[in-house]
Amino acid sequence: ASSTPTVPPGTMLRTVLAFACVAGAAAFSSPALLGVSRASRTSATSGLKMQDKSYAMPFLSRPPALDGTMAGDVGFDPLGFSNYFDLKWLREAELKHGRICMLGCLGFITQEKIQLPLPGFGNKVATEAFFSVPAGGLWQIFFTLGAIEVLSNGGKLSPGDMFAEGRAPGDLGFDPLNLSGDDAALRRFELAELKHGRLAMIGLGGMLHQMLLTKQAPLEQLANFQPLQ
């Protein structure tokens, strides 16, 4: 009966370590030295792209509609809205909410220092001032915003017809400083607006909760911090 040769444990360990060293060195070697062609590298890259993961959430697959062409697209859609709604319509909503929150954050801080010299406008805390201002002022804001929404879209408010004429999401033709004259600058400002809008949405939510819990305006809370009782 033939016997199988036994490899000493020390020899096996040295062999494994040698292969590991070779693999480590190969990782830092140029493709030309390793005989790897450009075509094979391109094929490997294409294979990786087919298994693309979300940049924002690497443990999830990238949503099919989020291909990175829109400004600020990092593949973040954990609830899958882009699978059911038009992506342009979603971006329009995101931009409008971001713009409103940017104005809201500025309004919260401004109102704390400047109030109209009229009855009902003296409260510095926005969450309380909402219920003390005259109802006519609130209706005025409501109808003004509604008119802007209808007129800026030409009466087209549904995802099916809002962009039928090729309008870009968030583009209302308002550019008094002509920032869109340079295409590179326009791309940069688009991303900047989106990031500021997202930050403002988070910030406005934080301000609202802070005022509801502490009964203090934002700047007053920063200057005279009081922990929750």
Side-chain angles (χ1 to χ4, degrees):
S2 61
S3 61
T4 303
T6 302
V7 180
T11 303
M12 178 65 73
L13 178 59
R14 286 193 295 271
T15 304
V16 172
L17 290 176
F19 277 113
C21 292
V22 172
F28 292 93
S29 301
S30 66
L33 295 176
L34 298 176
V36 180
S37 66
R38 183 180 298 273
S40 62
R41 284 186 283 129
T42 303
S43 177
T45 303
S46 301
L48 290 175
K49 287 184 177 180
M50 292 178 63
Q51 301 175 359
D52 198 11
K53 296 293 184 181
S54 168
Y55 181 78
M57 307 179 72
F59 51 88
L60 294 179
S61 298
R62 176 181 58 81
L66 302 182
D67 56 2
T69 55
M70 278 190 169
D73 178 8
V74 291
F76 182 80
D77 185 18
L79 299 181
F81 287 126
S82 60
N83 296 328
Y84 306 100
F85 299 98
D86 181 71
L87 197 59
K88 291 183 178 180
W89 191 69
L90 293 174
R91 173 51 58 89
E92 177 91 0
E94 181 181 23
L95 284 172
K96 286 184 176 179
H97 282 82
R99 291 167 180 173
I100 291 173
C101 288
M102 284 189 282
L103 292 173
C105 289
L106 178 62
F108 282 177
I109 296 174
T110 303
Q111 174 192 322
E112 186 174 351
K113 297 298 181 181
I114 303 174
Q115 299 93 34
L116 294 176
L118 297 172
F121 288 92
N123 199 323
K124 297 181 179 181
V125 182
T127 52
E128 298 175 358
F130 178 84
F131 299 99
S132 62
V133 298
L138 297 178
W139 283 112
Q140 181 183 16
I141 296 174
F142 176 79
F143 283 115
T144 300
L145 294 178
I148 293 174
E149 180 73 11
V150 174
L151 295 176
S152 62
N153 292 310
K156 300 177 181 179
L157 302 179
S158 68
D161 59 7
M162 184 178 289
F163 308 102
E165 299 177 358
R167 181 177 68 85
D171 183 6
L172 304 179
F174 181 78
D175 187 14
L177 301 179
N178 194 30
L179 299 178
S180 60
D182 181 14
D183 187 67
L186 177 61
R187 302 283 86 79
R188 185 172 68 254
F189 286 126
E190 282 181 343
L191 181 59
E193 180 188 27
L194 196 65
K195 288 185 175 181
H196 283 82
R198 290 170 176 173
L199 182 61
M201 286 187 277
I202 298 174
L204 189 75
M207 289 183 181
L208 286 172
H209 284 82
Q210 169 259 317
M211 285 186 283
L212 288 171
L213 294 173
T214 65
K215 309 301 181 184
Q216 291 178 291
L219 296 180
E220 180 185 358
Q221 171 73 357
L222 288 175
N224 304 286
F225 175 76
Q226 296 181 5
L228 298 177
Q229 302 297 327

